[in-house]
Amino acid sequence: MFNKIIKRGQRKVAKSDVDLAHAAQGRSSGSVSTSNIIINHASRPGAPPHSSQQQQTAAAGVPARSPLGTIENLPAFRDVLALERQSLFLRKLKICCYQFDFCDTLKMAREKEIKTQTLVELVDFIQSGSGKITEANQEEMIKMISLNIFRCLPPASHENTGSENIDPEEEDPYLEPSWPHLHLVYELLLRYVVSSDTDTKVAKRYIDHSFVLRLLDLFDSEDPREREYLKTILHRIYGKFMVHRPFIRKAINNIFYRFIYETGRHSGIGELLEILGSIINGFALPMKEEHKLFLARALIPLHKPKPVAMYHQQLSYCITQFVEKDYKLADTVLMGLLKCWPVTNSQKEVLFLGELEEVLEATQNVEFQRCMVPLFRQIARSLNSYHFQVAERALFLWNNDHIVGLIAQNRNVILPIIFGALEKNILSHWNQAVHGLTINVRKMFMEMDAELFEQCQRQYMEREFRSKELEEQQETKWQQLAAAAAAQGG
């Protein structure tokens, strides 16, 4: 509790410390640049901005921070002539370039309200399709959107507390203070992207690779509302701008690599996987080698990081989509799961067993035979787990008709592997539910092939007898050694 109090206090300082003043958003090759954004640290003493900085900002056409009371209400679009609407649109964009401190709700309240109303009007104007925006205004709009959404994200929770062991599921979600304006800016961008009036040939000059990369950076925001907007917008960009598709896939791939092999922390993995789930669903057959490599090098290794439970549902959907698209990938997925299989984390193992069932449901016999030996060795270990949820989940595999069919076709290989685990559960497992389920599975094998069952039972009893005999021989030798040592000592 003390760490949470410290975390919240520091989060607020971290957010209010950084105040993005207005500066020029230079543009080269159609990309949005923030190289001129000025960051003022309120906690650090310093001289006021030099006049040369102010002149540079003014020359770039972006308004500098407004003194109190200079932002004025502009007329509504419906109150001016159609010829004047483009000019009015530009003036409203300039009002929306002003930035405010939302950590102090009372500070510049009137100006904040004017900006809110202006953003609402801009969203309505784009959504209504009452007037096609000029190319110049589209560029200025993307500049305004960039100025508002592209910012330094606050430090993550563990960076504030100094602790790496905080469970993200136990944390209170961080909420962005500037959301009253930010969500309207995101809504404006979304309406612009999905609008039928938006010409992709023109828009791709402003929504370029640089813009997409910076959108992807924002997926690390801890505010779930922001990530939800980003997910929707990026998905729409992927759908509308075909030229960006390979780039977006590669950029998401790189985020996954960084998360898996470097940081182990990222807030937006689940949202990115949701986008990919829809993308994978649209892959054409035969599947490209690029997509298969993505499965093997990025998606399967995403099972390794500690916070996998946070995004496992979305990851499992993506994996299953691959197998349903191309059943020949099933053994690749199953062997990949076995390589990542948790050793000490029981809750994670329960998730893996659930995903294993979904993959097996889409697996054909040929692919199943390639990996069934190591697969059922692992299932046998799970059957004997002292954590009853793990053992129970493993036994639930026999409730699936398709999996039972695969097992029946290959019972000569599978039953000898797991027979010992079933017998051990019946003899010694502490949980009654696991005990009952094991008896049902054992009975199923007996009815499936009585001769094979008796053979496995005979082999099991012989192994147990030899094991007991060996144990008795070792005990006798230890007793002899102990007696000899006692005689020498006497």
Side-chain angles (χ1 to χ4, degrees):
M1 179 60 72
F2 177 74
N3 282 342
K4 283 192 175 183
I5 293 170
I6 294 297
K7 175 187 76 174
R8 288 173 184 163
Q10 290 178 342
R11 292 295 281 271
K12 288 180 181 177
V13 172
K15 185 64 189 169
S16 59
D17 242 9
V18 180
D19 185 18
L20 295 181
H22 295 281
Q25 291 262 325
R27 206 162 187 64
S28 61
S29 304
S31 66
V32 180
S33 169
T34 53
S35 59
N36 295 322
I37 288 181
I38 301 168
I39 300 178
N40 295 328
H41 295 273
S43 60
R44 301 178 189 173
H50 295 294
S51 58
S52 60
Q53 289 176 335
Q54 294 173 344
Q55 289 169 2
Q56 183 183 2
T57 303
V62 180
R65 178 171 290 283
S66 166
L68 186 63
T70 61
I71 297 180
E72 297 296 339
N73 269 317
L74 293 174
F77 286 108
R78 65 176 178 272
D79 296 334
V80 300
L81 296 173
L83 294 173
E84 298 175 3
R85 285 175 184 166
Q86 294 298 325
S87 173
L88 181 61
F89 187 87
L90 181 60
R91 290 166 65 196
K92 287 182 182 288
L93 287 176
K94 289 183 177 179
I95 285 178
C96 297
C97 287
Y98 288 93
Q99 305 290 291
F100 301 103
D101 177 12
F102 277 87
C103 292
D104 183 351
T105 54
L106 299 177
K107 187 177 180 182
M108 301 184 78
R110 174 181 169 275
E111 286 77 6
K112 289 175 185 174
E113 181 58 35
I114 291 174
K115 181 177 176 181
T116 300
Q117 184 57 37
T118 305
L119 282 167
V120 169
E121 291 174 7
L122 289 172
V123 171
D124 289 342
F125 185 76
I126 295 288
Q127 192 171 2
S128 66
S130 55
K132 197 171 182 180
I133 310 169
T134 63
E135 289 186 26
N137 278 356
Q138 288 182 53
E139 182 174 7
E140 291 304 316
M141 182 175 66
I142 297 299
K143 283 183 180 180
M144 182 277 288
I145 290 169
S146 301
L147 188 64
N148 279 278
I149 67 174
F150 297 140
R151 65 206 188 282
C152 295
L153 296 174
S157 311
H158 69 283
E159 292 172 341
N160 281 331
T161 61
S163 172
E164 292 285 349
N165 299 320
I166 296 175
D167 185 352
E169 291 183 324
E170 295 178 2
E171 294 180 27
D172 293 331
Y174 168 74
L175 300 178
E176 172 63 50
S178 63
W179 191 246
H181 285 176
L182 201 59
H183 89 276
L184 289 169
V185 178
Y186 276 124
E187 187 66 26
L188 179 64
L189 176 58
L190 176 60
R191 294 302 165 192
Y192 173 67
V193 171
V194 302
S195 174
S196 57
D197 291 328
T198 301
D199 185 348
T200 53
K201 291 181 181 178
V202 174
K204 72 180 181 182
R205 299 175 197 164
Y206 318 121
I207 299 180
D208 54 10
H209 286 181
S210 173
F211 187 89
V212 168
L213 272 181
R214 292 165 72 193
L215 268 185
L216 283 165
D217 285 341
L218 291 172
F219 272 87
D220 203 16
S221 168
E222 291 192 75
D223 191 325
R225 302 169 301 179
E226 181 167 16
R227 297 199 304 271
E228 191 65 24
Y229 256 111
L230 287 163
K231 178 186 76 176
T232 306
I233 290 167
L234 187 66
H235 193 192
R236 293 291 190 167
I237 289 174
Y238 186 91
K240 189 157 189 166
F241 297 83
M242 293 186 68
V243 67
H244 290 338
R245 289 182 181 182
F247 179 81
I248 291 173
R249 291 197 301 268
K250 186 176 179 181
I252 293 175
N253 211 354
N254 291 336
I255 291 174
F256 289 163
Y257 287 154
R258 200 175 305 119
F259 168 67
I260 296 165
Y261 301 110
E262 294 179 16
T263 64
R265 295 284 302 210
H266 196 286
S267 300
I269 299 298
E271 285 78 9
L272 290 171
L273 285 169
E274 281 187 52
I275 296 170
L276 284 169
S278 179
I279 292 172
I280 294 165
N281 194 30
F283 282 166
L285 294 176
M287 200 172 290
K288 293 179 182 177
E289 194 63 29
E290 167 204 344
H291 303 327
K292 295 178 183 178
L293 287 174
F294 171 70
L295 169 68
R297 295 178 180 177
L299 285 185
I300 292 175
L302 273 174
H303 291 85
K304 293 179 182 179
K306 289 180 181 179
V308 65
M310 298 291 292
Y311 55 81
H312 183 265
Q313 183 181 353
Q314 296 93 328
L315 176 60
S316 179
Y317 178 77
C318 289
I319 294 285
T320 309
Q321 285 290 303
F322 264 103
V323 180
E324 288 178 355
K325 278 275 179 186
D326 186 353
Y327 64 88
K328 293 180 181 178
L329 294 171
D331 59 315
T332 302
V333 169
L334 292 169
M335 293 303 294
L337 277 175
L338 292 176
K339 286 180 182 177
C340 303
W341 202 272
V343 178
T344 58
N345 190 329
S346 298
Q347 293 302 326
K348 192 173 174 181
E349 190 169 0
V350 171
L351 294 176
F352 273 51
L353 285 164
E355 182 177 354
L356 182 64
E357 180 175 351
E358 290 184 10
V359 174
L360 284 174
E361 203 165 5
T363 303
Q364 302 301 314
N365 193 39
V366 174
E367 287 69 36
F368 180 76
Q369 288 177 343
R370 289 179 191 152
C371 58
M372 62 184 176
V373 172
L375 178 62
F376 276 86
R377 282 176 181 162
Q378 178 55 59
I379 290 173
R381 288 190 287 271
S382 298
L383 287 172
N384 290 150
S385 173
Y386 286 112
H387 194 294
F388 79 96
Q389 288 179 328
V390 174
E392 192 175 55
R393 191 66 190 83
L395 287 161
F396 282 160
L397 292 172
W398 275 265
N399 289 345
N400 188 299
D401 291 339
H402 180 74
I403 295 174
V404 169
L406 291 172
I407 291 171
Q409 291 177 66
N410 301 279
R411 58 187 180 275
N412 292 330
V413 177
I414 293 171
L415 184 56
I417 294 172
I418 66 163
F419 189 89
L422 294 174
E423 293 297 305
K424 186 177 178 182
N425 270 7
I426 290 171
L427 290 171
S428 61
H429 203 285
W430 64 272
N431 186 271
Q432 286 301 312
V434 170
H435 189 270
L437 287 167
T438 304
I439 290 174
N440 291 340
V441 171
R442 187 176 183 271
K443 184 181 177 184
M444 192 182 294
F445 275 112
M446 195 184 301
E447 293 172 352
M448 195 182 291
D449 192 333
E451 186 180 341
L452 176 64
F453 185 87
E454 288 175 8
Q455 181 185 337
C456 289
Q457 192 171 37
R458 202 164 44 246
Q459 291 172 350
Y460 173 76
M461 291 177 71
E462 287 173 2
R463 283 197 305 271
E464 286 296 299
F465 179 77
R466 285 197 300 269
S467 177
K468 192 173 182 180
E469 205 174 45
L470 183 61
E471 192 177 325
E472 288 174 354
Q473 289 174 2
Q474 289 174 342
E475 182 63 28
T476 303
K477 285 181 181 179
W478 278 113
Q479 288 175 358
Q480 291 171 351
L481 286 170
Q488 287 181 359

mmCIF file with all atom_site columns, all heavy atoms in Angstrom, residues 342-359:
data_model
loop_
_atom_site.group_PDB
_atom_site.id
_atom_site.type_symbol
_atom_site.label_atom_id
_atom_site.label_alt_id
_atom_site.label_comp_id
_atom_site.label_asym_id
_atom_site.label_entity_id
_atom_site.label_seq_id
_atom_site.pdbx_PDB_ins_code
_atom_site.Cartn_x
_atom_site.Cartn_y
_atom_site.Cartn_z
_atom_site.occupancy
_atom_site.B_iso_or_equiv
_atom_site.pdbx_formal_charge
_atom_site.auth_seq_id
_atom_site.auth_comp_id
_atom_site.auth_asym_id
_atom_site.auth_atom_id
_atom_site.pdbx_PDB_model_num
ATOM 1   N N   . PRO A 1 342 ? 6.033   -23.464 -18.978 1.00 0.00 ? 342 PRO A N   1
ATOM 2   C CA  . PRO A 1 342 ? 6.442   -23.008 -17.638 1.00 0.00 ? 342 PRO A CA  1
ATOM 3   C C   . PRO A 1 342 ? 6.780   -24.182 -16.719 1.00 0.00 ? 342 PRO A C   1
ATOM 4   O O   . PRO A 1 342 ? 6.141   -25.239 -16.789 1.00 0.00 ? 342 PRO A O   1
ATOM 5   C CB  . PRO A 1 342 ? 5.213   -22.246 -17.129 1.00 0.00 ? 342 PRO A CB  1
ATOM 6   C CG  . PRO A 1 342 ? 4.070   -22.790 -17.925 1.00 0.00 ? 342 PRO A CG  1
ATOM 7   C CD  . PRO A 1 342 ? 4.618   -23.189 -19.257 1.00 0.00 ? 342 PRO A CD  1
ATOM 8   N N   . VAL A 1 343 ? 7.754   -23.971 -15.864 1.00 0.00 ? 343 VAL A N   1
ATOM 9   C CA  . VAL A 1 343 ? 8.207   -25.034 -14.962 1.00 0.00 ? 343 VAL A CA  1
ATOM 10  C C   . VAL A 1 343 ? 7.649   -24.845 -13.557 1.00 0.00 ? 343 VAL A C   1
ATOM 11  O O   . VAL A 1 343 ? 7.226   -25.798 -12.911 1.00 0.00 ? 343 VAL A O   1
ATOM 12  C CB  . VAL A 1 343 ? 9.749   -25.085 -14.918 1.00 0.00 ? 343 VAL A CB  1
ATOM 13  C CG1 . VAL A 1 343 ? 10.222  -26.154 -13.947 1.00 0.00 ? 343 VAL A CG1 1
ATOM 14  C CG2 . VAL A 1 343 ? 10.315  -25.335 -16.305 1.00 0.00 ? 343 VAL A CG2 1
ATOM 15  N N   . THR A 1 344 ? 7.619   -23.600 -13.091 1.00 0.00 ? 344 THR A N   1
ATOM 16  C CA  . THR A 1 344 ? 7.216   -23.346 -11.696 1.00 0.00 ? 344 THR A CA  1
ATOM 17  C C   . THR A 1 344 ? 5.954   -22.494 -11.571 1.00 0.00 ? 344 THR A C   1
ATOM 18  O O   . THR A 1 344 ? 5.449   -22.325 -10.473 1.00 0.00 ? 344 THR A O   1
ATOM 19  C CB  . THR A 1 344 ? 8.354   -22.628 -10.940 1.00 0.00 ? 344 THR A CB  1
ATOM 20  O OG1 . THR A 1 344 ? 8.669   -21.397 -11.623 1.00 0.00 ? 344 THR A OG1 1
ATOM 21  C CG2 . THR A 1 344 ? 9.595   -23.496 -10.874 1.00 0.00 ? 344 THR A CG2 1
ATOM 22  N N   . ASN A 1 345 ? 5.452   -21.948 -12.675 1.00 0.00 ? 345 ASN A N   1
ATOM 23  C CA  . ASN A 1 345 ? 4.292   -21.061 -12.615 1.00 0.00 ? 345 ASN A CA  1
ATOM 24  C C   . ASN A 1 345 ? 3.031   -21.846 -12.993 1.00 0.00 ? 345 ASN A C   1
ATOM 25  O O   . ASN A 1 345 ? 2.756   -22.098 -14.165 1.00 0.00 ? 345 ASN A O   1
ATOM 26  C CB  . ASN A 1 345 ? 4.493   -19.875 -13.575 1.00 0.00 ? 345 ASN A CB  1
ATOM 27  C CG  . ASN A 1 345 ? 3.444   -18.801 -13.398 1.00 0.00 ? 345 ASN A CG  1
ATOM 28  O OD1 . ASN A 1 345 ? 2.301   -19.075 -13.044 1.00 0.00 ? 345 ASN A OD1 1
ATOM 29  N ND2 . ASN A 1 345 ? 3.814   -17.564 -13.658 1.00 0.00 ? 345 ASN A ND2 1
ATOM 30  N N   . SER A 1 346 ? 2.251   -22.233 -11.973 1.00 0.00 ? 346 SER A N   1
ATOM 31  C CA  . SER A 1 346 ? 1.085   -23.096 -12.216 1.00 0.00 ? 346 SER A CA  1
ATOM 32  C C   . SER A 1 346 ? -0.018  -22.378 -12.984 1.00 0.00 ? 346 SER A C   1
ATOM 33  O O   . SER A 1 346 ? -0.655  -22.966 -13.862 1.00 0.00 ? 346 SER A O   1
ATOM 34  C CB  . SER A 1 346 ? 0.534   -23.594 -10.878 1.00 0.00 ? 346 SER A CB  1
ATOM 35  O OG  . SER A 1 346 ? 1.506   -24.363 -10.210 1.00 0.00 ? 346 SER A OG  1
ATOM 36  N N   . GLN A 1 347 ? -0.265  -21.099 -12.665 1.00 0.00 ? 347 GLN A N   1
ATOM 37  C CA  . GLN A 1 347 ? -1.319  -20.362 -13.369 1.00 0.00 ? 347 GLN A CA  1
ATOM 38  C C   . GLN A 1 347 ? -0.989  -20.214 -14.854 1.00 0.00 ? 347 GLN A C   1
ATOM 39  O O   . GLN A 1 347 ? -1.862  -20.311 -15.710 1.00 0.00 ? 347 GLN A O   1
ATOM 40  C CB  . GLN A 1 347 ? -1.516  -18.982 -12.727 1.00 0.00 ? 347 GLN A CB  1
ATOM 41  C CG  . GLN A 1 347 ? -2.069  -19.031 -11.310 1.00 0.00 ? 347 GLN A CG  1
ATOM 42  C CD  . GLN A 1 347 ? -3.407  -19.755 -11.235 1.00 0.00 ? 347 GLN A CD  1
ATOM 43  O OE1 . GLN A 1 347 ? -4.222  -19.689 -12.152 1.00 0.00 ? 347 GLN A OE1 1
ATOM 44  N NE2 . GLN A 1 347 ? -3.637  -20.478 -10.148 1.00 0.00 ? 347 GLN A NE2 1
ATOM 45  N N   . LYS A 1 348 ? 0.275   -19.999 -15.148 1.00 0.00 ? 348 LYS A N   1
ATOM 46  C CA  . LYS A 1 348 ? 0.712   -19.901 -16.541 1.00 0.00 ? 348 LYS A CA  1
ATOM 47  C C   . LYS A 1 348 ? 0.542   -21.250 -17.247 1.00 0.00 ? 348 LYS A C   1
ATOM 48  O O   . LYS A 1 348 ? 0.141   -21.312 -18.419 1.00 0.00 ? 348 LYS A O   1
ATOM 49  C CB  . LYS A 1 348 ? 2.180   -19.460 -16.575 1.00 0.00 ? 348 LYS A CB  1
ATOM 50  C CG  . LYS A 1 348 ? 2.701   -19.047 -17.940 1.00 0.00 ? 348 LYS A CG  1
ATOM 51  C CD  . LYS A 1 348 ? 4.099   -18.468 -17.799 1.00 0.00 ? 348 LYS A CD  1
ATOM 52  C CE  . LYS A 1 348 ? 4.706   -18.173 -19.158 1.00 0.00 ? 348 LYS A CE  1
ATOM 53  N NZ  . LYS A 1 348 ? 6.078   -17.633 -19.042 1.00 0.00 ? 348 LYS A NZ  1
ATOM 54  N N   . GLU A 1 349 ? 0.803   -22.342 -16.526 1.00 0.00 ? 349 GLU A N   1
ATOM 55  C CA  . GLU A 1 349 ? 0.656   -23.676 -17.114 1.00 0.00 ? 349 GLU A CA  1
ATOM 56  C C   . GLU A 1 349 ? -0.807  -23.970 -17.449 1.00 0.00 ? 349 GLU A C   1
ATOM 57  O O   . GLU A 1 349 ? -1.105  -24.599 -18.464 1.00 0.00 ? 349 GLU A O   1
ATOM 58  C CB  . GLU A 1 349 ? 1.199   -24.742 -16.157 1.00 0.00 ? 349 GLU A CB  1
ATOM 59  C CG  . GLU A 1 349 ? 1.303   -26.104 -16.786 1.00 0.00 ? 349 GLU A CG  1
ATOM 60  C CD  . GLU A 1 349 ? 2.089   -27.101 -15.948 1.00 0.00 ? 349 GLU A CD  1
ATOM 61  O OE1 . GLU A 1 349 ? 2.556   -26.727 -14.849 1.00 0.00 ? 349 GLU A OE1 1
ATOM 62  O OE2 . GLU A 1 349 ? 2.221   -28.256 -16.387 1.00 0.00 ? 349 GLU A OE2 1
ATOM 63  N N   . VAL A 1 350 ? -1.726  -23.493 -16.613 1.00 0.00 ? 350 VAL A N   1
ATOM 64  C CA  . VAL A 1 350 ? -3.154  -23.652 -16.899 1.00 0.00 ? 350 VAL A CA  1
ATOM 65  C C   . VAL A 1 350 ? -3.512  -22.947 -18.209 1.00 0.00 ? 350 VAL A C   1
ATOM 66  O O   . VAL A 1 350 ? -4.256  -23.478 -19.042 1.00 0.00 ? 350 VAL A O   1
ATOM 67  C CB  . VAL A 1 350 ? -4.017  -23.108 -15.735 1.00 0.00 ? 350 VAL A CB  1
ATOM 68  C CG1 . VAL A 1 350 ? -5.491  -23.070 -16.125 1.00 0.00 ? 350 VAL A CG1 1
ATOM 69  C CG2 . VAL A 1 350 ? -3.836  -23.963 -14.487 1.00 0.00 ? 350 VAL A CG2 1
ATOM 70  N N   . LEU A 1 351 ? -2.966  -21.732 -18.411 1.00 0.00 ? 351 LEU A N   1
ATOM 71  C CA  . LEU A 1 351 ? -3.203  -20.999 -19.661 1.00 0.00 ? 351 LEU A CA  1
ATOM 72  C C   . LEU A 1 351 ? -2.655  -21.765 -20.858 1.00 0.00 ? 351 LEU A C   1
ATOM 73  O O   . LEU A 1 351 ? -3.306  -21.850 -21.912 1.00 0.00 ? 351 LEU A O   1
ATOM 74  C CB  . LEU A 1 351 ? -2.540  -19.616 -19.590 1.00 0.00 ? 351 LEU A CB  1
ATOM 75  C CG  . LEU A 1 351 ? -3.104  -18.611 -18.575 1.00 0.00 ? 351 LEU A CG  1
ATOM 76  C CD1 . LEU A 1 351 ? -2.260  -17.346 -18.571 1.00 0.00 ? 351 LEU A CD1 1
ATOM 77  C CD2 . LEU A 1 351 ? -4.553  -18.268 -18.895 1.00 0.00 ? 351 LEU A CD2 1
ATOM 78  N N   . PHE A 1 352 ? -1.462  -22.330 -20.705 1.00 0.00 ? 352 PHE A N   1
ATOM 79  C CA  . PHE A 1 352 ? -0.837  -23.084 -21.796 1.00 0.00 ? 352 PHE A CA  1
ATOM 80  C C   . PHE A 1 352 ? -1.679  -24.300 -22.163 1.00 0.00 ? 352 PHE A C   1
ATOM 81  O O   . PHE A 1 352 ? -1.830  -24.635 -23.348 1.00 0.00 ? 352 PHE A O   1
ATOM 82  C CB  . PHE A 1 352 ? 0.575   -23.520 -21.404 1.00 0.00 ? 352 PHE A CB  1
ATOM 83  C CG  . PHE A 1 352 ? 1.640   -22.511 -21.700 1.00 0.00 ? 352 PHE A CG  1
ATOM 84  C CD1 . PHE A 1 352 ? 1.509   -21.195 -21.267 1.00 0.00 ? 352 PHE A CD1 1
ATOM 85  C CD2 . PHE A 1 352 ? 2.776   -22.854 -22.403 1.00 0.00 ? 352 PHE A CD2 1
ATOM 86  C CE1 . PHE A 1 352 ? 2.486   -20.252 -21.543 1.00 0.00 ? 352 PHE A CE1 1
ATOM 87  C CE2 . PHE A 1 352 ? 3.759   -21.922 -22.684 1.00 0.00 ? 352 PHE A CE2 1
ATOM 88  C CZ  . PHE A 1 352 ? 3.617   -20.617 -22.256 1.00 0.00 ? 352 PHE A CZ  1
ATOM 89  N N   . LEU A 1 353 ? -2.220  -24.997 -21.161 1.00 0.00 ? 353 LEU A N   1
ATOM 90  C CA  . LEU A 1 353 ? -3.033  -26.183 -21.432 1.00 0.00 ? 353 LEU A CA  1
ATOM 91  C C   . LEU A 1 353 ? -4.318  -25.804 -22.171 1.00 0.00 ? 353 LEU A C   1
ATOM 92  O O   . LEU A 1 353 ? -4.774  -26.543 -23.054 1.00 0.00 ? 353 LEU A O   1
ATOM 93  C CB  . LEU A 1 353 ? -3.360  -26.891 -20.117 1.00 0.00 ? 353 LEU A CB  1
ATOM 94  C CG  . LEU A 1 353 ? -2.189  -27.674 -19.494 1.00 0.00 ? 353 LEU A CG  1
ATOM 95  C CD1 . LEU A 1 353 ? -2.480  -28.009 -18.037 1.00 0.00 ? 353 LEU A CD1 1
ATOM 96  C CD2 . LEU A 1 353 ? -1.904  -28.954 -20.288 1.00 0.00 ? 353 LEU A CD2 1
ATOM 97  N N   . GLY A 1 354 ? -4.890  -24.640 -21.819 1.00 0.00 ? 354 GLY A N   1
ATOM 98  C CA  . GLY A 1 354 ? -6.070  -24.159 -22.542 1.00 0.00 ? 354 GLY A CA  1
ATOM 99  C C   . GLY A 1 354 ? -5.757  -23.852 -23.989 1.00 0.00 ? 354 GLY A C   1
ATOM 100 O O   . GLY A 1 354 ? -6.530  -24.203 -24.903 1.00 0.00 ? 354 GLY A O   1
ATOM 101 N N   . GLU A 1 355 ? -4.619  -23.204 -24.222 1.00 0.00 ? 355 GLU A N   1
ATOM 102 C CA  . GLU A 1 355 ? -4.208  -22.896 -25.602 1.00 0.00 ? 355 GLU A CA  1
ATOM 103 C C   . GLU A 1 355 ? -3.881  -24.175 -26.363 1.00 0.00 ? 355 GLU A C   1
ATOM 104 O O   . GLU A 1 355 ? -4.206  -24.295 -27.560 1.00 0.00 ? 355 GLU A O   1
ATOM 105 C CB  . GLU A 1 355 ? -2.985  -21.973 -25.573 1.00 0.00 ? 355 GLU A CB  1
ATOM 106 C CG  . GLU A 1 355 ? -2.512  -21.554 -26.945 1.00 0.00 ? 355 GLU A CG  1
ATOM 107 C CD  . GLU A 1 355 ? -1.353  -20.579 -26.900 1.00 0.00 ? 355 GLU A CD  1
ATOM 108 O OE1 . GLU A 1 355 ? -0.981  -20.129 -25.794 1.00 0.00 ? 355 GLU A OE1 1
ATOM 109 O OE2 . GLU A 1 355 ? -0.813  -20.268 -27.979 1.00 0.00 ? 355 GLU A OE2 1
ATOM 110 N N   . LEU A 1 356 ? -3.254  -25.122 -25.663 1.00 0.00 ? 356 LEU A N   1
ATOM 111 C CA  . LEU A 1 356 ? -2.915  -26.398 -26.279 1.00 0.00 ? 356 LEU A CA  1
ATOM 112 C C   . LEU A 1 356 ? -4.171  -27.089 -26.816 1.00 0.00 ? 356 LEU A C   1
ATOM 113 O O   . LEU A 1 356 ? -4.174  -27.629 -27.932 1.00 0.00 ? 356 LEU A O   1
ATOM 114 C CB  . LEU A 1 356 ? -2.241  -27.290 -25.233 1.00 0.00 ? 356 LEU A CB  1
ATOM 115 C CG  . LEU A 1 356 ? -1.761  -28.663 -25.692 1.00 0.00 ? 356 LEU A CG  1
ATOM 116 C CD1 . LEU A 1 356 ? -0.654  -28.532 -26.730 1.00 0.00 ? 356 LEU A CD1 1
ATOM 117 C CD2 . LEU A 1 356 ? -1.277  -29.479 -24.507 1.00 0.00 ? 356 LEU A CD2 1
ATOM 118 N N   . GLU A 1 357 ? -5.256  -27.045 -26.056 1.00 0.00 ? 357 GLU A N   1
ATOM 119 C CA  . GLU A 1 357 ? -6.506  -27.665 -26.509 1.00 0.00 ? 357 GLU A CA  1
ATOM 120 C C   . GLU A 1 357 ? -7.024  -26.988 -27.772 1.00 0.00 ? 357 GLU A C   1
ATOM 121 O O   . GLU A 1 357 ? -7.462  -27.669 -28.714 1.00 0.00 ? 357 GLU A O   1
ATOM 122 C CB  . GLU A 1 357 ? -7.563  -27.591 -25.403 1.00 0.00 ? 357 GLU A CB  1
ATOM 123 C CG  . GLU A 1 357 ? -8.875  -28.227 -25.814 1.00 0.00 ? 357 GLU A CG  1
ATOM 124 C CD  . GLU A 1 357 ? -9.907  -28.276 -24.701 1.00 0.00 ? 357 GLU A CD  1
ATOM 125 O OE1 . GLU A 1 357 ? -9.568  -27.971 -23.548 1.00 0.00 ? 357 GLU A OE1 1
ATOM 126 O OE2 . GLU A 1 357 ? -11.076 -28.612 -24.999 1.00 0.00 ? 357 GLU A OE2 1
ATOM 127 N N   . GLU A 1 358 ? -6.958  -25.655 -27.817 1.00 0.00 ? 358 GLU A N   1
ATOM 128 C CA  . GLU A 1 358 ? -7.449  -24.938 -29.007 1.00 0.00 ? 358 GLU A CA  1
ATOM 129 C C   . GLU A 1 358 ? -6.634  -25.284 -30.247 1.00 0.00 ? 358 GLU A C   1
ATOM 130 O O   . GLU A 1 358 ? -7.182  -25.428 -31.340 1.00 0.00 ? 358 GLU A O   1
ATOM 131 C CB  . GLU A 1 358 ? -7.392  -23.424 -28.745 1.00 0.00 ? 358 GLU A CB  1
ATOM 132 C CG  . GLU A 1 358 ? -8.415  -22.951 -27.715 1.00 0.00 ? 358 GLU A CG  1
ATOM 133 C CD  . GLU A 1 358 ? -8.393  -21.441 -27.549 1.00 0.00 ? 358 GLU A CD  1
ATOM 134 O OE1 . GLU A 1 358 ? -7.731  -20.757 -28.360 1.00 0.00 ? 358 GLU A OE1 1
ATOM 135 O OE2 . GLU A 1 358 ? -9.020  -20.950 -26.597 1.00 0.00 ? 358 GLU A OE2 1
ATOM 136 N N   . VAL A 1 359 ? -5.316  -25.407 -30.072 1.00 0.00 ? 359 VAL A N   1
ATOM 137 C CA  . VAL A 1 359 ? -4.454  -25.739 -31.211 1.00 0.00 ? 359 VAL A CA  1
ATOM 138 C C   . VAL A 1 359 ? -4.697  -27.175 -31.652 1.00 0.00 ? 359 VAL A C   1
ATOM 139 O O   . VAL A 1 359 ? -4.803  -27.463 -32.855 1.00 0.00 ? 359 VAL A O   1
ATOM 140 C CB  . VAL A 1 359 ? -2.967  -25.519 -30.849 1.00 0.00 ? 359 VAL A CB  1
ATOM 141 C CG1 . VAL A 1 359 ? -2.058  -26.004 -31.981 1.00 0.00 ? 359 VAL A CG1 1
ATOM 142 C CG2 . VAL A 1 359 ? -2.692  -24.046 -30.563 1.00 0.00 ? 359 VAL A CG2 1
#
